[in-house]
Amino acid sequence: MRTRPLESAAILGLLLLAVLPPISAQSAPEWESEVSISVPAVTTAGEGVLSRLTVRVVRPGSGKVYFSADPLTQLDTQSAARTAALVACSLLGLNPNEFDFYVSMESDSMVIGGPSAGAAMTVAMVAALANLTLDGSVVMTGMVNPDGTVGPVGGIPAKLTAAAEGGAKLFLIPAGQEVVVENRVIEEPGPFWITRRVVRERVNVTELGMSLGVSVKSVMTIREAVEASTGWRIPLKEVEEVSLDPDVAAVITGWTNAYLAEYDSARREVLLNLSRLPEGPIKEYLKQKVETAKLEAEKAKELDSTGRPYSAASAAFRSAVAIDTARLVLEMALADDPTKPLLSHALELNQSIQKVESSLEATEPESSTSFEALVAAWQRLYDAMEAFEKATDLFKSGDLVSSAEWLVYANWRVRTARSWAGLCLPGGPPPDRSVILSVAATMLYEAESVVGYAASLLQDVGESSALLDHAMDRLALAKEAQQDGRHYAVIGLSAEAIAYSTLAIHGAFQTTDLRRLVDAVSKETLGRLARIMETGVRPVTALSYLEAAEVAREEGDLPSALLLYELSATYANIDVLVSLGEGAELAPPKAAPRPTQPSASPQPTQPAHEETPIWVALTISLASAAAGGAVGFILGRRSHQTDGTLDSAELDQIESCSSP
């Protein structure tokens, strides 16, 4: 008997159901954990209220963070959830790509959105990932910063009152906000109307808590908040030995010696020809350059003698850039046409960029050390290309001195890219290509999250920051590099974007003493380094930045120290991701058209009057350079004592070009 088609389909369906597992079993995660906590918020009417925050973490995942809110909240709350997931995984030494995070926030009232639940989200995620029990009598408020510190928030008195009414016994607040200033409306009745005026009052949060029966505790880091909320201290090991590997230190010392040798040669040439110039602004400018170069050279020798190889190389680098700038500007001043030596220098530089670029394209790491070196080389090459483009634009605008400064810096950046690429010392095996692709994708995702978070925070308070602008530029370059398949460049550029965004947040929202902040960040950095060094890996880039941070801290330059600690921690996190990602599979992205390369040479603009004297043109250019701050940028890291505050304008003066 023939079976009808419909019956055949039914029989086939029954057979498939018999051999296949249930759909629910297929989609169920291998592991999941969920926690809920109360978080304080402020309603649109200005009153405190407790919302319910639930965090569910599942594995396997792909690093995605899903956020829902009822009522809807602002974008920076959603950005805070992404940052919270990254920080929680970093603190626990976990790969965020192995998990997915589901965050929901519910409130009975319309609350003001913002990042103030970020720290609580992070604590909840740590609890979920580590299977910890949260103390329901503990309530906290605070932003989460990408480096694991807790940032300031508003509305603390109202939130504390709501927490007390909800039965809280301990209220955690960001360090530095023990006393806050709040606006209070005072009503004064009159014969025919009521006058309302706003007064600003200082509120001692600790005393307010005592009156409400709640203990108030300030926390600097998420690590402290986790301990207060769960009773469990996240292990934090410190590095006993933070010096670079002797073989690496020897290579970097060789860089220092080479830079100083070129400084000596260029200095003799400049001093020999400086007397040919008449007194005036150009000659004074050159004298300042010579003096700056001398001071940096002396500093390099001193640091080298005290066993600080990377810091010594950084000072020697700044010395070489300063004296080489003086040599080029002097050559321009003595030439019949100052544009000719500038154009010649630009042409040679463009050829060097293309040559190093081709070399890096053909280079693959042979060890874990050369992997780090290749990341550093690509990052510095992108710096050189960007500096070359700035020099081109300045030349076209007629600012010859600033153009010369950027060309010299670009030239030395190319040289350091070549030096890092040649750092092929023995080490552990290099990461598999699949791991490199995975780490590049993760770092780019983190950079997008952190830069977006910083941008939303600063936009909320109407702040602008050159640090954030720099981070956005790095992120844009990282995206271009990803499209072009340059994964080592993606890693380095993303790391820089993360560090600068984090610093921008600190500059805009710092409420605690800068020394205390630097101390907290340094401890977190050392903890990350200890974690990776336990695996037998001896980081190169992270330890280099750590050494430079310690030197800056000793000199009292706390803003620069903070930036260098952030860079060290970010590069240590790269090493952690590489260690955790062995065996990961990730398809390489499709190649996209390469970004436009710098033109062969800047095209000069026609002067308004051909008979304009060279001295006048260079003097005008010099004034423009001083006004634009380019001279200070090229000179490198500042060296001065810093008080206990972190001024955003001061932070924006931190240069990214102070190290090789």
Side-chain angles (χ1 to χ4, degrees):
M1 182 178 67
R2 297 177 60 186
T3 305
R4 287 177 292 182
L6 186 59
E7 293 176 348
S8 298
I11 294 172
L12 179 60
L14 290 172
L15 289 173
L16 288 173
L17 288 174
V19 298
L20 292 177
I23 293 177
S24 60
Q26 283 185 305
S27 60
E30 296 177 1
W31 174 90
E32 65 178 303
S33 178
E34 181 176 302
V35 298
S36 295
I37 58 173
S38 296
V39 293
V42 178
T43 68
T44 53
E47 299 177 349
V49 64
L50 287 182
S51 301
R52 195 67 178 167
L53 174 69
T54 301
V55 171
R56 177 170 170 259
V57 184
V58 302
R59 186 178 58 194
S62 57
K64 296 295 187 292
V65 179
Y66 302 91
F67 181 88
S68 66
D70 184 18
L72 295 177
T73 186
Q74 295 176 346
L75 287 176
D76 48 8
T77 308
Q78 302 173 42
S79 298
R82 295 178 68 179
T83 302
L86 297 173
V87 171
C89 288
S90 176
L91 287 171
L92 297 174
L94 300 174
N95 188 344
N97 287 335
E98 295 182 359
F99 305 91
D100 282 335
F101 301 82
Y102 298 84
V103 182
S104 66
M105 186 178 296
E106 298 177 351
S107 177
D108 294 332
S109 304
M110 181 66 71
V111 299
I112 299 174
S116 64
M121 288 183 196
T122 313
V123 170
M125 289 177 180
V126 169
L129 289 165
N131 293 316
L132 303 175
T133 300
L134 289 167
D135 186 342
S137 67
V138 179
V139 175
M140 80 170 299
T141 184
M143 293 195 314
V144 58
N145 292 326
D147 55 10
T149 56
V150 178
V153 294
I156 290 181
K159 294 174 181 177
L160 173 56
T161 301
E165 293 174 351
K169 299 301 180 184
L170 177 62
F171 189 67
L172 305 180
I173 63 173
Q177 291 198 288
E178 294 85 354
V179 177
V180 297
V181 177
E182 291 284 304
N183 292 332
R184 187 166 68 90
V185 178
I186 297 179
E187 295 186 351
E188 298 175 342
F192 304 105
W193 60 79
I194 296 178
T195 302
R196 294 181 177 87
R197 58 189 180 91
V198 178
V199 296
R200 294 177 62 80
E201 295 182 340
R202 291 170 59 87
V203 179
N204 187 307
V205 180
T206 303
E207 293 179 357
L208 176 61
M210 291 177 61
S211 69
L212 297 172
V214 180
S215 297
V216 175
K217 177 182 176 63
S218 66
V219 290
M220 175 66 76
T221 65
I222 295 296
R223 193 181 299 273
E224 296 174 24
V226 169
E227 183 176 5
S229 301
T230 67
W232 180 65
R233 178 189 293 269
I234 301 175
L236 177 64
K237 295 185 178 181
E238 294 190 6
V239 183
E240 296 180 359
E241 178 60 49
V242 296
S243 61
L244 287 164
D245 183 87
D247 291 338
V248 175
V251 172
I252 294 178
T253 298
W255 299 351
T256 301
N257 294 335
Y259 299 163
L260 290 178
E262 294 216 14
Y263 155 75
D264 288 333
S265 175
R267 185 173 185 272
R268 287 193 296 269
E269 181 181 340
V270 170
L271 293 178
L272 181 64
N273 293 290
L274 192 58
S275 59
R276 297 169 57 187
L277 285 181
E279 296 298 328
I282 293 296
K283 192 167 187 176
E284 286 302 314
Y285 166 82
L286 294 174
K287 288 180 179 179
Q288 291 176 7
K289 283 288 186 182
V290 171
E291 181 63 21
T292 298
K294 177 185 176 183
L295 294 175
E296 292 289 357
E298 292 173 350
K299 183 177 181 180
K301 295 173 183 177
E302 178 184 354
L303 289 167
D304 182 61
S305 66
T306 57
R308 311 287 185 88
Y310 186 74
S311 299
S314 298
F317 171 84
R318 295 191 294 269
S319 173
V321 170
I323 198 65
D324 218 12
T325 301
R327 178 165 56 182
L328 178 57
V329 173
L330 178 59
E331 184 181 357
M332 292 161 55
L334 295 175
D336 293 333
D337 181 357
T339 64
K340 287 186 177 180
L342 200 58
L343 290 172
S344 176
H345 194 85
L347 181 60
E348 292 179 7
L349 173 58
N350 186 64
Q351 293 172 347
S352 296
I353 289 175
Q354 293 178 352
K355 186 178 296 184
V356 173
E357 184 179 20
S358 298
S359 176
L360 292 182
E361 290 278 12
T363 303
E364 290 295 333
E366 299 178 356
S367 66
S368 57
T369 300
S370 60
F371 160 73
E372 287 196 60
L374 197 55
V375 170
W378 270 109
Q379 185 265 323
R380 283 150 179 79
L381 180 63
Y382 269 78
D383 274 354
M385 291 191 291
E386 186 178 38
F388 185 88
E389 292 175 357
K390 289 180 179 178
T392 302
D393 293 338
L394 288 165
F395 186 93
K396 291 178 180 178
S397 70
D399 190 350
L400 302 184
V401 173
S402 293
S403 178
E405 290 174 337
W406 281 106
L407 280 177
V408 171
Y409 169 65
N411 181 59
W412 277 92
R413 255 307 180 234
V414 171
R415 175 162 180 169
T416 58
R418 189 184 298 115
S419 297
W420 276 100
L423 188 64
C424 298
L425 295 173
D432 292 339
R433 182 161 182 79
S434 60
V435 175
I436 294 172
L437 296 175
S438 176
V439 171
T442 300
M443 289 300 296
L444 183 58
Y445 176 79
E446 289 194 21
E448 290 175 329
S449 300
V450 174
V451 172
Y453 183 47
S456 65
L457 291 177
L458 268 66
Q459 184 179 23
D460 283 350
V461 296
E463 287 275 348
S464 61
S465 169
L467 293 169
L468 181 58
D469 292 341
H470 181 77
M472 288 180 170
D473 289 341
R474 299 297 97 180
L475 177 59
L477 289 174
K479 290 180 178 179
E480 289 182 7
Q482 179 79 331
Q483 293 175 348
D484 207 39
R486 296 174 171 179
H487 308 294
Y488 303 104
V490 173
I491 295 171
L493 293 167
S494 296
E496 198 173 353
I498 292 169
Y500 273 84
S501 294
T502 305
L503 201 64
I505 294 173
H506 284 309
F509 296 97
Q510 185 215 0
T511 57
T512 188
D513 181 78
L514 180 54
R515 295 175 184 84
R516 187 178 176 188
L517 176 62
V518 170
D519 183 60
V521 174
S522 68
K523 288 180 179 178
E524 292 296 328
T525 301
L526 289 170
R528 295 191 193 187
L529 281 167
R531 185 186 306 140
I532 188 61
M533 292 176 70
E534 280 184 340
T535 67
V537 175
R538 191 76 177 180
V540 176
T541 316
L543 285 176
S544 296
Y545 282 128
L546 178 65
E547 179 204 294
E550 297 290 348
V551 170
R553 191 177 185 180
E554 291 172 5
E555 295 175 349
D557 187 1
L558 298 183
S560 291
L562 185 58
L563 170 62
L564 291 163
Y565 279 127
E566 299 288 3
L567 286 167
S568 177
T570 305
Y571 274 93
N573 193 47
I574 293 172
D575 293 318
V576 171
L577 289 174
V578 170
S579 178
L580 293 172
E582 290 294 341
E585 295 291 336
L586 184 66
K590 296 181 179 179
R594 296 164 62 84
T596 304
Q597 298 300 319
S599 57
S601 61
Q603 297 300 314
T605 54
Q606 294 297 324
H609 302 284
E610 294 184 0
E611 67 274 16
T612 301
I614 293 174
W615 300 110
V616 175
L618 285 180
T619 301
I620 294 174
S621 177
L622 176 61
S624 176
V631 175
F633 187 91
I634 293 297
L635 293 185
R637 185 172 61 78
R638 298 161 299 120
S639 179
H640 66 269
Q641 295 292 322
T642 307
D643 61 16
T645 60
L646 187 63
D647 181 74
S648 59
E650 180 182 44
L651 274 173
D652 287 346
Q653 296 174 5
I654 294 177
E655 296 81 12
S656 63
C657 60
S658 61
S659 57

